[in-house]
Amino acid sequence: MDFTPTEEQAAARDLAARIFGDLSTHERLTAAGTGSDAELWKALCEAGLPAAVEDIGLLGLVLLLEEQGRTTAQVPFAASCVYGLLAVSVHGSAEQRKRLLPAIGDGTVVVTGALPEAAVRVGGSGELSGMVPVVPWLRDATHVLVADEAHGLWLVRTVDARCEPVELTAPWSAGRLTLDGTPGEPLGGRGRAGERPGERLGGSDVDVAGQGAYDDVLATARTAFAGLQAGVCAGSVARAVAHTNTREQFGRPLATKQGVQLRAADAYMDTEAIRVTAYEAAWRRDEGLDYATHALTAAWWASEAGSRVVHAGQHLHGGMGADLDHPVHRHFLWGRQLDAYLGCGSEVLQELGALIVDGEGDA
């Protein structure tokens, strides 16, 4: 087990760090409000970072998302790479890969996901109906990956659906997705009318993506967003350290007080636990190993420990932590949103336990 980044992964991470550091500033985030930063997204795509994920794998993506999390950059990077580029490259048909991957890589197509919701019904002619109350980055997306009741995956163009803005704890440009006889494209192939994802297409060797694809995409998403949480927490800890080293009380920096040191140390260790479990799950996925339980473990740490870390960051800033003019509040908002996204800690732990009891967990 070796998490050392390859030369390509390290180069992509360093480039992402420079772009996020230069463009995702407190002033620009303030100006963006709860929307996304279109200029930053354009810079990332022009630098080839979304497209690079196909080559640097999920571990490479986790490294890039750490850098996004450090600055709480408001772009649909995680969603479009997980639900778009990686999902299509692994589970899409040859035609879908040829048509969609270049456009996802250059940012002209942005994909988000309505997972783990599986509330979409499929009509006899392949039309989709149902409502997903919250889809992150839906307002930025050109396509959304949805799951039907049988966990089949479908790509829907947002222009064909009804998308209404929804505000979340974090500024994720979210929306409510409503499908009413909306045309959908099965991920993995184009089935005949009434054919369900997971069934072999008549006269073809292509399978429409089914349960296995759903499980893989969800595990990939949990791993990737755990990496994003690691970055959010690392940024929160860094800001807390900087603040307590410069803020004085009774003539001494706050960082000299034992209580502050212990709180910061706990937050650092929690952050490292999120990072290493995300790295392990991503590495196993890239190596072609089973990683279902590892993805759930990373998600549990991201939820439980992530919440502790961002709360500690707020507390160590004292009253300034509650000031919206101070950037640390964004780490708190992102950390709390990530705590709930794709399953909160108790839900993930229950799912992990059931997987182990059923004997389906990986070794």
Side-chain angles (χ1 to χ4, degrees), residues 87-111:
V88 173
S89 65
V90 175
H91 303 290
S93 66
E95 187 278 331
Q96 287 172 331
R97 292 195 296 271
K98 181 179 179 180
R99 170 167 49 91
L100 293 173
L101 289 181
I104 297 171
D106 65 24
T108 54
V109 167
V110 176
V111 185

Side-chain angles (χ1 to χ4, degrees), residues 183-251:
E185 177 183 353
L187 183 65
R190 296 180 178 275
R192 298 188 302 270
E195 206 163 29
R196 300 301 302 276
E199 296 176 344
R200 182 167 297 276
L201 300 182
S204 171
D205 61 353
V206 177
D207 283 314
V208 182
Q211 178 70 45
Y214 173 88
D215 291 341
D216 178 62
V217 172
L218 182 56
T220 299
R222 283 171 164 159
T223 304
F225 282 94
L228 184 60
Q229 181 76 299
V232 169
C233 291
S236 178
V237 171
R239 292 189 184 279
V241 169
H243 174 76
T244 55
N245 272 300
T246 56
R247 184 77 168 180
E248 292 190 356
Q249 188 179 64
F250 305 117

Side-chain angles (χ1 to χ4, degrees), residues 131-298:
M131 190 270 289
V132 182
V134 176
V135 180
W137 291 287
L138 183 63
R139 283 177 268 167
D140 297 333
T142 59
H143 294 70
V144 56
L145 187 67
V146 301
D148 65 25
E149 295 169 318
H151 285 174
L153 296 177
W154 302 75
L155 282 168
V156 174
R157 298 192 310 164
T158 53
V159 294
D160 296 329
R162 185 162 79 249
C163 304
E164 303 165 276
V166 172
E167 295 299 338
L168 302 180
T169 300
W172 285 4
S173 296
R176 179 183 297 106
L177 177 71
T178 303
L179 306 176
D180 186 10
T182 306
E185 177 183 353
L187 183 65
R190 296 180 178 275
R192 298 188 302 270
E195 206 163 29
R196 300 301 302 276
E199 296 176 344
R200 182 167 297 276
L201 300 182
S204 171
D205 61 353
V206 177
D207 283 314
V208 182
Q211 178 70 45
Y214 173 88
D215 291 341
D216 178 62
V217 172
L218 182 56
T220 299
R222 283 171 164 159
T223 304
F225 282 94
L228 184 60
Q229 181 76 299
V232 169
C233 291
S236 178
V237 171
R239 292 189 184 279
V241 169
H243 174 76
T244 55
N245 272 300
T246 56
R247 184 77 168 180
E248 292 190 356
Q249 188 179 64
F250 305 117
R252 297 172 57 196
L254 288 173
T256 63
K257 300 183 181 298
Q258 188 179 48
V260 171
Q261 293 172 357
L262 292 173
R263 192 78 190 277
D266 286 343
Y268 172 80
M269 293 304 296
D270 272 338
T271 300
E272 289 302 297
I274 300 169
R275 176 181 288 116
V276 73
T277 52
Y279 283 6
E280 182 180 12
W283 176 82
R284 290 183 66 90
R285 188 258 189 194
D286 290 342
E287 292 295 313
L289 303 172
D290 291 335
Y291 73 111
T293 57
H294 296 79
L296 286 167
T297 301

Side-chain angles (χ1 to χ4, degrees), residues 277-360:
T277 52
Y279 283 6
E280 182 180 12
W283 176 82
R284 290 183 66 90
R285 188 258 189 194
D286 290 342
E287 292 295 313
L289 303 172
D290 291 335
Y291 73 111
T293 57
H294 296 79
L296 286 167
T297 301
W300 182 83
W301 274 103
S303 177
E304 293 288 306
S307 179
R308 290 196 297 266
V309 172
V310 296
H311 274 271
Q314 288 285 96
H315 292 165
L316 291 174
H317 278 80
M320 295 182 66
D323 186 354
L324 296 183
D325 290 330
H326 196 286
V328 75
H329 83 278
R330 295 192 183 89
H331 295 271
F332 180 81
L333 297 178
W334 277 69
R336 293 300 295 164
Q337 189 69 59
L338 285 163
D339 168 23
Y341 185 55
L342 298 178
C344 69
S346 58
E347 294 172 334
V348 169
L349 192 60
Q350 182 179 16
E351 187 176 343
L352 175 59
L355 193 64
I356 294 172
V357 169
D358 291 341
E360 299 177 6

